[in-house]
Amino acid sequence: MPASTNGDAFQLAAVILYFAAMVAIGWFAYLRTKDDLDGYMLADRGLKPWVAALSAGASDMSGWLLMGLPGAIFVSGLDQSWIMIGLVVGAWLNWRLVAPRLRSYTEVADDAITIPSFFEKRLHDRSRMLRVTCGVTILVFFTFYVSSGMVASGKFFDSAFGVDYTVGMLIVAGVTMLYTLVGGFLGASLTDVAQGLLVVTALIAVPVVGIVDLGGVGVTVDQIRDVDPSLLSFFAGGSLLGIISAAAWGLGYFGQPHIIVRFMALRSPADAPTARRIGIGWMVLCALGAVGTALVGIAYFNVHAADKPADAETVFLAMSQVLFHPFIAGLVLAAVLAAIMSTISSQLIVCSSALVEDLYKLVAEKRGARPLADATYVRLGRLGVLTIAVIAVVLALSPSNSILDLVAFAWSGFGAAFGPAIILSLFWRRFTTAGAMTGIIVGAVVAFAWGQSFLDDHLYGIVPAFAASVLAAIAVSLNTERSEPEQIDAEFDEAARLARSGKAAETGPVATRD
């Protein structure tokens, strides 16, 4: 809904202030890591627990948290909140089980700094095909994932300022690319912290102020029931398969490269419990805020029907504009940008690392080219960021794309392809290269095919794809041999020991046990 001229000026000033702050943080990170490849890709494994926790959360909770999820609940009610319930459970398990072991194992496995390189070094794959397969999978699914953020940004500017969808999308793409290009992983992580704090503050403020404006919780609930009592039920609007599909989003956490790379960047495995408590606390507050925004929105626009947004996915934006002073509303609107941009920047960094560390280096090595200086690799990484961003922008040119549908497609692909492989790599020493390759390919193919078929309307593709990936990986591993089993066993035991002790690995290779 268009605001007054003065209102637009206040809101625009708040958004510009936010943009400036993000670029400043990116510049700070650039001064710290501009010529250091490990620093550009993984912040030299130096993230403090609260930085890793907020960064993982913010990079996960993209525009769908403030637009896609509230929009779905606004239309269908609490049965859509099973997505968030599944995500909270999945995130807790991810921090509890995967984080400490992955932090220790990636360092033990010859200091792997990307997920594809970890698989290669963990399994001692000499063919290099596993690393290439993982790199290609990351580029394919992340291109769609980044595109979902671009769609959200275009809808944001169209709804908040009446700016053309494409123009708004290009503005967000340009600013995000700028601070990601210069700041790298550290820049993405530090901006994630600021963005995460802004997001949780906005998500709490909007429903609280909305309830006060309506006259209290009782009035709000009565207004929701006046629209449809079933909106307040977790079960009324959905089938058992629908609930399973929604809760199954939690499975995706185990395979999201832009999230689990934060585990690898922790200072030591001992930081994982603290980071888990901070991260899950932040996530629960965001979940309550997103659900609350949708429910209060149902009540508010039942009373003020003339202000009801045409697009359900913009209910958070519409609420902020009618409830707050324009400058405060601008800061709340900036929270939407924060959710969108934090995810895009993290995903672009992972794509960049896949292009440089997992694909370019291997091609150059096969051709017998000499290794390049770190500064050159960093420049290539920045070129990769630019390339993926441009492709994602082209895919997002159609504003008819649903944010939640795009995210669901990419989330399913990553969760099913990498999730089982990550878990089996960390907790099953018998896992083989052939098993990993088979599981990743089967998971990705089933997720892709299921997501393009009518079956996805009845059961979220991550469920069959994850199951198929696990079964394929285990079956093939049991029927194939490991490379260098003694060395793998020694590294497996050392990673487990370090995860339990909470210590970082000492430099140097792990000796093979007699």
Side-chain angles (χ1 to χ4, degrees):
M1 68 201 68
S4 66
T5 302
N6 287 337
D8 279 343
F10 277 117
Q11 292 182 13
L12 188 58
V15 170
I16 291 174
L17 178 64
Y18 161 75
F19 280 152
M22 296 304 101
V23 172
I25 293 172
W27 180 254
F28 169 78
Y30 168 74
L31 296 176
R32 295 278 299 274
T33 60
K34 59 181 179 181
D35 294 321
D36 179 6
L37 183 61
D38 283 356
Y40 187 78
M41 298 297 184
L42 207 61
D44 292 317
R45 296 188 191 269
L47 292 191
K48 295 179 181 178
W50 60 275
V51 175
L54 293 177
S55 177
S59 63
D60 161 31
M61 298 300 175
S62 58
W64 79 271
L65 175 66
L66 292 95
M67 297 180 72
L69 181 60
I73 296 174
F74 184 75
V75 171
S76 303
L78 281 177
D79 66 295
Q80 295 296 311
S81 64
W82 284 103
I83 293 177
M84 201 68 212
I85 294 171
L87 288 175
V88 171
V89 174
W92 186 88
L93 290 172
N94 207 22
W95 275 108
R96 179 69 178 81
L97 301 176
V98 173
R101 185 69 73 95
L102 185 64
R103 171 60 182 83
S104 63
Y105 216 147
T106 51
E107 199 166 12
V108 168
D110 197 23
D111 197 26
I113 65 172
T114 67
I115 295 302
S117 67
F118 166 66
F119 284 140
E120 179 183 86
K121 294 174 180 180
R122 153 67 176 90
L123 298 166
H124 290 243
D125 175 33
R126 306 303 180 195
S127 71
R128 321 309 292 271
M129 286 305 298
L130 179 59
R131 192 165 176 176
V132 171
T133 300
C134 292
V136 171
T137 302
I138 284 174
L139 293 178
V140 171
F141 282 106
F142 259 152
T143 301
F144 286 100
Y145 212 147
V146 173
S147 182
S148 74
M150 301 298 187
V151 171
S153 65
K155 287 188 175 184
F156 164 84
F157 270 98
D158 182 34
S159 174
F161 301 110
V163 174
D164 179 73
Y165 168 88
T166 303
V167 173
M169 179 183 65
L170 292 176
I171 291 172
V172 172
V175 174
T176 308
M177 278 191 290
L178 178 60
Y179 73 73
T180 306
L181 282 169
V182 300
F185 182 85
L186 180 60
S189 297
L190 293 178
T191 52
D192 283 349
V193 171
Q195 291 161 334
L197 294 173
L198 184 59
V199 165
V200 73
T201 301
L203 279 172
I204 293 171
V206 169
V208 168
V209 174
I211 290 172
V212 172
D213 186 83
L214 285 168
V217 175
V219 175
T220 303
V221 172
D222 288 342
Q223 289 296 331
I224 297 171
R225 286 175 176 158
D226 183 60
V227 175
D228 185 352
S230 68
L231 293 172
L232 292 172
S233 171
F234 285 94
F235 304 100
S239 63
L240 178 60
L241 276 182
I243 292 173
I244 292 173
S245 293
W249 278 64
L251 287 174
Y253 266 109
F254 302 109
Q256 305 300 318
H258 62 300
I259 297 173
I260 58 180
V261 73
R262 265 69 187 174
F263 304 162
M264 298 161 59
L266 285 166
R267 296 176 302 183
S268 72
D271 285 336
T274 301
R276 181 182 72 243
R277 296 183 191 103
I278 296 171
I280 298 304
W282 178 91
M283 194 173 181
V284 168
L285 289 175
C286 286
L288 293 174
V291 173
T293 294
L295 294 179
V296 174
I298 293 170
Y300 186 89
F301 292 117
N302 187 46
V303 176
H304 306 279
D307 295 329
K308 186 176 181 179
D311 186 346
E313 288 190 327
T314 64
V315 61
F316 178 82
L317 307 181
M319 289 284 290
S320 67
Q321 288 181 305
V322 298
L323 292 175
F324 296 106
H325 180 277
F327 183 77
I328 302 300
L331 293 177
V332 174
L333 295 178
V336 180
L337 288 175
I340 296 167
M341 294 166 66
S342 60
T343 302
I344 292 174
S345 63
S346 298
Q347 292 165 346
L348 289 176
I349 286 295
V350 173
C351 287
S352 173
S353 65
L355 281 170
V356 175
E357 184 73 10
D358 302 316
L359 296 177
Y360 176 83
K361 278 189 174 183
L362 296 188
V363 172
E365 184 180 307
K366 277 202 167 187
R367 292 182 176 180
R370 292 181 179 180
L372 303 175
D374 266 11
T376 304
Y377 285 127
V378 170
R379 284 194 291 271
L380 289 173
R382 289 178 174 135
L383 179 61
V385 167
L386 180 62
T387 302
I388 296 299
V390 169
I391 295 173
V393 165
V394 172
L395 289 175
L397 286 175
S398 171
S400 62
N401 289 326
S402 165
I403 300 168
L404 201 57
D405 286 346
L406 287 170
V407 172
F409 178 70
W411 186 268
S412 173
F414 277 127
F418 291 149
I422 287 288
I423 294 171
L424 292 172
S425 291
L426 297 178
F427 295 100
W428 189 36
R429 68 176 72 235
R430 183 66 181 77
F431 199 36
T432 68
T433 299
M437 180 78 79
T438 304
I440 289 169
I441 292 174
V442 168
V445 170
V446 172
F448 187 90
W450 195 280
Q452 300 303 307
S453 74
F454 72 94
L455 295 171
D456 200 53
D457 295 332
H458 303 284
L459 180 65
Y460 185 24
I462 197 172
V463 177
F466 196 97
S469 178
V470 170
L471 292 175
I474 291 176
V476 173
S477 291
L478 290 174
N479 288 280
T480 54
E481 296 298 324
R482 294 181 296 167
S483 302
E484 305 176 18
E486 291 184 356
Q487 182 67 18
I488 287 177
D489 284 342
E491 293 171 354
F492 186 93
D493 292 335
E494 177 67 3
R497 183 187 70 81
L498 291 172
R500 288 192 301 269
S501 69
K503 296 179 180 179
E506 297 179 0
T507 56
V510 177
T512 305
R513 295 183 177 180
D514 296 331

